[in-house]
Amino acid sequence: MPPPPTAALSSSSSLCLFPFSSYSSPKKTQLGFCPSFPFTRLINVTPTRRLMTCSAVSIEKETLISHRPHSFLRETDGLDDGSVRSRFLRMIMEVQDSVCGALEAVDGAGKFKEDAWTRPGGGGGISRVLQDGDVFEKAGVNISVVYGVMPPEAYRAAKANVTDQKPGPVPFFAAGISSVLHPKNPFAPTLHFNYRYFETDAPKDAPGAPRQWWFGGGTDLTPSYIFEEDVKHFHSIQKKACDKFDPSFYPRFKKWCDDYFYIKHRDERRGLGGIFFDDLNDNDQEMLLSFATECANSVVPAYVPIVEKRKNTPFTESHKAWQQLRRGRYIEFNLVSYLPITKLERF
């Protein structure tokens, strides 16, 4: 049997449509990598957002439940009233089901185990984990809904362009889906995706004030061994999803991913990127909801064909060791770029 392909982590050639130069200086044309966590992160921490410490945001403790509810919304929000909140929640619950179903089909043996929880004042979540399957070493697909209160200074830190916010606590709603998928085979890539929606209510001392809202998220690929056809397929799906709404979205959000996710002290990237966006509210809200939905629904066609192609590729212990080293970089990026982790991020 011929030896398995041993593509290096940097490419000596470039794709005419999707050029990349992996794990090197961000000054070059390349794709970055988005962070991932074993929980749903609805806000990515920029330097200003590090101000949102554990004492800054009030969130109720969760309570485990035996069965998933129909909705995690408060009754005052309406369980399915056609609002952006309810439709985004319905979307991420459907995406969780579709992604988990597709991954179980690819694995053939592994099944997701589910934990669900709620909070007394509304909100909750569903965590699903598949571990030690035939194809996936570990795969997590989680959703979370949060109601909380933040002080105005934390709100300003999260939304730097707000200058007219009156003093007083700011109630907020946040919902999102987050996933990390680690195949066993070193030639099958890791995938991370998350999509989230954040909305504030009127401050308690300013009833009737307009709500602020924004979307965030992204999908990105982290191979240990690079196959250009896989990278090309993955990015073609991201571009197709973006182009349905605005031809500027793909180059804009690809570059955002390129520039943002970078291990500074090593002068290298963690992966081959994808798309990433945050604080997105500069378009019509309905359009952006549809855009986030399209991106989330693109996860399966972007990723599953690659895993199907690579899951049975023969590999050696040295290939596995290289995979573990690259996973170490994955964790290292989270540690150096996203600490301290705030209470808001841990929900």
Side-chain angles (χ1 to χ4, degrees):
M1 180 180 294
T6 55
L9 276 176
S10 60
S11 173
S12 59
S13 61
S14 61
L15 306 176
C16 58
L17 184 58
F18 311 107
F20 63 91
S21 175
S22 175
Y23 308 103
S24 58
S25 170
K27 296 178 182 178
K28 300 177 182 179
T29 301
Q30 58 190 260
L31 304 178
F33 180 72
C34 299
S36 57
F37 299 89
F39 43 77
T40 304
R41 296 182 69 254
L42 298 188
I43 294 185
N44 285 280
V45 179
T46 60
T48 56
R49 288 182 181 169
R50 294 184 186 275
L51 298 175
M52 299 175 67
T53 62
C54 292
S55 62
V57 179
S58 173
I59 301 173
E60 293 178 319
K61 187 176 181 180
E62 64 271 6
T63 301
L64 288 174
I65 55 178
S66 58
H67 301 286
R68 61 181 289 181
H70 172 69
S71 176
F72 291 102
L73 296 180
R74 289 173 174 169
E75 291 185 4
T76 54
D77 280 348
L79 298 183
D80 194 6
D81 62 354
S83 67
V84 173
R85 291 185 182 189
S86 65
R87 285 183 289 154
F88 188 88
L89 173 57
R90 185 166 64 250
M91 181 272 284
I92 61 176
M93 294 179 78
E94 291 172 354
V95 168
Q96 185 184 44
D97 288 342
S98 66
V99 170
C100 290
L103 297 180
E104 287 183 346
V106 171
D107 194 279
K111 298 294 182 182
F112 279 91
K113 294 183 178 180
E114 179 179 289
D115 289 319
W117 68 93
T118 60
R119 292 186 174 90
I126 301 170
S127 295
R128 291 181 181 171
V129 177
L130 185 159
Q131 191 163 359
D132 297 325
D134 284 353
V135 173
F136 291 99
E137 189 169 326
K138 195 167 187 178
V141 186
N142 305 328
I143 65 171
S144 188
V145 176
V146 171
Y147 292 88
V149 177
M150 68 174 74
E153 59 270 18
Y155 176 62
R156 290 193 187 97
K159 199 69 179 168
N161 62 345
V162 175
T163 59
D164 58 350
Q165 185 66 53
K166 295 182 179 181
V170 181
F172 71 87
F173 166 89
I177 182 168
S178 183
S179 176
V180 187
L181 312 175
H182 288 300
K184 288 183 173 180
N185 194 304
F187 296 101
T190 288
L191 185 85
H192 162 259
F193 72 90
N194 76 81
Y195 291 96
R196 55 198 179 271
Y197 175 68
F198 193 94
E199 185 178 273
T200 65
D201 286 323
K204 292 183 177 180
D205 60 351
R211 287 178 171 176
Q212 299 286 339
W213 58 267
W214 58 91
F215 293 87
T219 304
D220 45 84
L221 194 72
T222 304
S224 296
Y225 292 88
I226 296 172
F227 298 89
E228 291 192 0
E229 61 189 284
D230 294 350
V231 179
K232 189 171 183 178
H233 166 78
F234 176 78
H235 279 277
S236 69
I237 300 298
Q238 309 311 309
K239 186 176 187 300
K240 181 179 178 181
C242 291
D243 286 352
K244 287 183 179 181
F245 297 87
D246 190 320
S248 72
F249 276 4
Y250 177 72
R252 176 183 168 190
F253 300 147
K254 171 181 168 294
K255 184 178 186 302
W256 202 332
C257 198
D258 295 349
D259 293 342
Y260 197 89
F261 302 104
Y262 160 63
I263 306 175
K264 184 176 181 180
H265 69 279
R266 292 192 181 275
D267 192 26
E268 70 177 42
R269 302 292 184 187
R270 253 192 1 180
L272 296 181
I275 59 171
F276 173 77
F277 54 90
D278 202 8
D279 294 345
L280 196 62
N281 63 0
D282 54 357
N283 295 87
D284 177 75
Q285 190 178 29
E286 289 294 327
M287 186 268 260
L288 292 178
L289 174 61
S290 297
F291 171 61
T293 301
E294 182 71 25
C295 291
N297 285 331
S298 297
V299 168
V300 170
Y303 183 61
V304 167
I306 298 174
V307 177
E308 289 279 16
K309 186 186 300 183
R310 306 298 174 193
K311 66 181 183 180
N312 294 320
T313 303
F315 63 88
T316 66
E317 287 300 317
S318 63
H319 294 131
K320 194 67 179 178
W322 181 248
Q323 180 193 50
Q324 296 304 314
L325 186 149
R326 295 317 305 176
R327 286 182 180 175
R329 291 287 199 272
Y330 186 97
I331 297 169
E332 183 178 302
F333 177 83
N334 292 343
L335 292 174
V336 300
S337 301
Y338 288 88
L339 291 179
I341 295 174
T342 69
K343 185 174 182 181
L344 178 58
E345 295 171 281
R346 290 204 307 270
F347 66 77

